[in-house]
Amino acid sequence: MTLPPRDIAPGPVLETERLILRPTAMEDFPRWAEFMADAEAARFIGGVQAPPAAWRGLMTMAGAWALTGVSMFSVIEKASGLWVGRLGPWTPDGWPGTEVGWGLHPDAQGKGYAAEGATAALDYAFDVLGWTEVIHCIDPDNTPSQRLAERLGSTNLGPTRLPPPFETIAVDRWGQTREEWRARRR
């Protein structure tokens, strides 16, 4: 019996023009920790985290891949091989819907990577996972994510609530149906 490698979670690999989207790997941790230590990058995804808390977040994503087959992808820049963020399908227990979310390392922002990766992740969610709707939980003050959601064709569906321990965080539920996504992609 051959066991899968223990340094990367099981799951699919997607490629775009400039990115590789793959399951979480141990090698992602140093840049993941940098990302979560940056006040601006972490502002709308739970706030700054010390390395031990960031490690638990990385393990949560890897565990979701292993146990459910659905989690955010690690985003790898093809040109450099660097981990530049995490994005993709996300469905924690009690979540207000089937989400495709995103978050990028500070040095990867402003390059169009979130739109490129989220487009591939939306295709994956609708075409492979069979989701009929995708949402994005976005803080009302997170203008860059709102602009990205609009670029992807999502609309603001109004305030929603996240499950504990995030129930006090204000978020709007942005989203679209599979039919709306496919109509835009034609």
Side-chain angles (χ1 to χ4, degrees), residues 61-86:
M61 292 294 172
W65 275 117
L67 296 177
T68 70
V70 176
S71 188
M72 287 194 186
F73 294 97
S74 279
V75 182
I76 309 302
E77 183 182 57
K78 282 183 179 179
S80 67
L82 283 176
W83 182 94
V84 295
R86 47 93 176 138

Side-chain angles (χ1 to χ4, degrees), residues 143-166:
T143 306
S145 279
Q146 292 167 9
R147 276 191 241 123
L148 176 56
E150 288 173 342
R151 241 175 102 190
L152 295 169
S154 292
T155 57
N156 188 339
L157 304 171
T160 192
R161 297 197 49 105
L162 299 177
F166 307 110

Side-chain angles (χ1 to χ4, degrees), residues 6 16 44 46 56 96 109 146 152 158:
R6 286 194 267 179
T16 68
F44 298 115
R56 288 190 293 277
Q109 295 176 8
Q146 292 167 9
L152 295 169

Side-chain angles (χ1 to χ4, degrees), residues 79-127:
S80 67
L82 283 176
W83 182 94
V84 295
R86 47 93 176 138
L87 61 77
W90 186 232
T91 59
D93 185 51
W95 216 246
T98 48
E99 180 168 23
V100 167
W102 49 79
L104 294 178
H105 191 283
D107 64 17
Q109 295 176 8
K111 298 179 180 183
Y113 288 165
E116 185 176 329
T119 297
L122 282 159
D123 283 341
Y124 178 79
F126 289 132
D127 298 341

Side-chain angles (χ1 to χ4, degrees), residues 24 106 112 164:
T24 311

Side-chain angles (χ1 to χ4, degrees), residues 38-54:
D38 184 274
E40 194 55 34
R43 178 177 172 201
F44 298 115
I45 55 172
V48 169
Q49 295 179 352

Side-chain angles (χ1 to χ4, degrees), residues 96 135-138 140 155-161 170-175:
I135 66 163
H136 321 290
C137 296
I138 302 176
T155 57
N156 188 339
L157 304 171
T160 192
R161 297 197 49 105
V171 294
D172 288 331
R173 183 176 186 261
W174 289 70

